[in-house]
Structures are given as structure tokens and as C-alpha cells.
Amino acid sequence: MSDRIAVMRAGRIVQIGSGADLYERPVDTFVARFLGESNLLEGTVGDIAGGRATLAVPGLAQTLEGRAADGLRVGASASALLRPETVRAQKGGLQARVAERVYLGELVAVRL
């Protein structure tokens, strides 16, 4: 893989950066979906402080917290990007139903 990658949409460059930059800090949902597996949860931005933001997601009892993207505004609609490899089960976490288990060799993908 190259040092720098350009992601294009409709003939225009959307984002240029390293593979890690594009994967971990996509500029929009198009780039997030373009690279790897992702779960995007849509909601409304709550507080923003110290480079972190909260997101109220309909149907979730608790707000999500994560890195705030540039240009994010309180009260605006936004999406939280959750990569499967960053999700960890915790006691007292969210309830879910297992919809599918897929054996992938060294790991098992579980869709909830």
C-alpha cells in the first residue's frame, strides 16, 4: 500500500492521507463506508469540549462520547463511527440480540 491515498467521489478528491488517517479519521460518512467495516449511528450533537463530543442517538438510553470532528456544532446532526474491532462487551452495557455469527479464522464476527 502507498504512503498516501486519495479517496474520490464523482471525480473529485474527498480526502487524501495515510491509510491509518483515512480509516481512523474519515472526513465524512462516504470515506468511512469506503474503507473497511463500519457502523454509523446517527444522532444529535450534545456537548463539545477538549476535542471530545457527545451524541444523543434515538433508541439509546445513554449518549455516546468520542473524538469530535472538525466543524462539529452543538445541536447539529452527526454520525458516530464505530469500527467493529473497537467495540468491547462490558458488564452492564447495552442489551442486544445476536443476529449472526461468522467464523473468520482467527476471529468471529458477531452481528448484534
Side-chain angles (χ1 to χ4, degrees):
M1 186 167 270
S2 67
D3 294 352
R4 289 174 35 103
I5 302 166
V7 176
M8 299 178 72
R9 176 178 52 215
R12 297 186 185 261
I13 295 174
V14 178
Q15 184 174 357
I16 298 175
S18 69
D21 286 339
L22 297 174
Y23 187 79
E24 296 171 13
R25 289 177 292 286
V27 296
D28 62 16
T29 56
F30 175 81
V31 177
R33 288 185 176 117
F34 186 79
L35 293 173
E37 259 321 288
S38 64
N39 298 287
L40 293 166
L41 300 176
E42 296 179 10
T44 304
V45 178
D47 298 325
I48 302 174
R52 309 283 296 170
T54 60
L55 187 72
V57 177
L60 289 182
Q62 60 194 54
T63 59
L64 300 176
E65 181 184 333
R67 182 174 46 227
D70 293 337
L72 204 60
R73 295 183 321 273
V74 172
S77 294
S79 296
L81 169 65
L82 299 174
R83 297 286 188 191
E85 66 274 12
T86 64
V87 175
R88 302 284 180 261
Q90 290 182 310
K91 187 174 183 176
L94 300 173
Q95 276 194 331
R97 181 179 61 80
V98 175
E100 178 183 34
R101 288 178 40 135
V102 180
Y103 177 74
L104 299 171
E106 67 182 56
L107 57 94
V108 175
V110 180
R111 294 197 190 277
L112 304 173

